[in-house]
Amino acid sequence: MSIQLNTHYLESFIKSHEYEQIAPQIRYADQILREKSGPGNQFLGWVDLPKNYDKEEFARIENAAEKIKKTCQVLVVIGIGGSYLGARAVIEFLRSPNYNLLKKDTPNIYFAGNSISADSLNDLLALCEGKDICVNVISKSGTTTEPAVAFRVFRNLLEKKYGKEGARERIFVTTDRARGTLKQFSTEAGYETFVVPDDVGGRFSVLTAVGLLPIAVAGIDIKKLMEGAAAAMEKYTSPELDKNDCYLYAAIRNILFRKGKNIEILAGYEPFALLFNEWWKQLYGESEGKDGKGIYPASVIFSTDLHSLGQYIQDGNRILFETVLNIQDTKKSFEIPNDPANIDGLNFLSGKDLDDVKRTATLATVLAHVDGGVPNILIDLDERNEYTLGELIYFFELACAISGYVLGVNPFDQPGVESYKKNMFALLGKPGYEEMREELNKRLTF
């Protein structure tokens, strides 16, 4: 079993009758998800995606990835939110957070269009100078400010460097199947296009072309990734808590939330999990944070953050719980050397594998935090590979949907995200927003 939920460290926080009380709500959430009768049911394409994905497009993704690997030294992925977080999370988790610095036979992959920063854009342009470049722009509409600006910049760069004909062969677009500004422009320009499915929201889209093309360019086996997700799809079908770890996780989250645990911290013990944590935060924050409800998703990387946030987790306000990603085998080892002088007093560690020390640190920390009044959920992963990560992605997506329904929200919309966009368009002078701009300017003090 590649993934297993460990609830041993919850025994002093949750009693058996509490699982029994929430079980009918879990069964109902499962029912409306499977029947597609709940809120947001038009965005459930991800549920059976691992088995029912477009095989023809999948083959085109693999072919495009090979073309990019052969012709480009750099792939610039342009997108924001779910349009880039999933791909970057998978690449760093399976390859390395130092992927671009490593010796390899795949292109460097940089991410643009996810901020409004002149410094960041200028730095990226400098990194691309003198390199053969390909671009993958990811946007449903093509009009979201951050990626649209970045695409303007890199499209102009490629057309100046290679000419319009040459640029056409180096620009790959992931967008709406038939509608939208970017789709129309791409068709007219002759770019190869891939589909952002109508029924899959951005934060659930990592296993579509949105994530799979950049992931494949990094040399990651996307077939194995999909196989792991398909295994999870088959595994987590029972609506009963004692037969479904995914639903049990969703139930635990809601039980703890009702006990005043308003913050969930996803804890990893490897730097390569940092961007996966960021993907998870978007998934849960955007899905549950609405209608004045929701568990606030936070994250840490231990042991680094034990020397910063560790004090608060151990002794601060008891409003949080932890979910720990516990990877049993990372496939890497490093033997701690002996020091004849034993200056640091650590010769008792000599000859031990650093990964074994990490596992001990994980258990020591869990025990300390549980003693400090912090419930701890452990998600045990057998090893670090494409199959296991595919299963973990699907585990979190499915648990998020069930948890959101139990919480009483629509897990698949994001009405709050649109508020800042409208304000920004108005203040920047976008046509059609004149009246709104006037009203907003009255409220500003700078």
Side-chain angles (χ1 to χ4, degrees), residues 190-201:
Y191 303 144
E192 182 168 8
T193 61
F194 301 94
V195 175
V196 180
D198 290 336
D199 57 356
V200 179

Side-chain angles (χ1 to χ4, degrees), residues 122-194:
N122 279 310
D123 287 349
L124 181 50
L125 289 169
L127 289 169
C128 292
E129 192 170 342
K131 304 288 197 305
D132 278 320
I133 307 164
C134 287
V135 167
N136 176 207
V137 58
I138 306 164
S139 177
K140 186 79 170 171
S141 65
T143 58
T144 302
T145 304
E146 296 90 337
V149 168
F151 186 41
R152 277 192 179 197
V153 171
F154 281 96
R155 188 175 74 250
N156 289 340
L157 187 155
L158 263 62
E159 289 179 354
K160 287 179 182 177
K161 187 177 178 74
Y162 304 106
K164 284 203 171 187
E165 293 292 325
R168 178 182 299 126
E169 298 301 311
R170 293 174 175 272
I171 294 175
F172 302 83
V173 179
T174 309
T175 188
D176 190 89
R177 184 182 302 277
R179 300 183 303 274
T181 301
L182 184 56
K183 173 58 180 175
Q184 181 180 347
F185 178 79
S186 300
T187 300
E188 292 171 357
Y191 303 144
E192 182 168 8
T193 61
F194 301 94

Side-chain angles (χ1 to χ4, degrees), residues 223-240:
K223 281 193 174 76
K224 289 290 185 186
L225 195 69
M226 297 302 284
E227 286 172 11
M233 180 181 159
E234 288 187 356
K235 181 177 175 181
Y236 303 122
T237 55
S238 172
E240 304 304 323

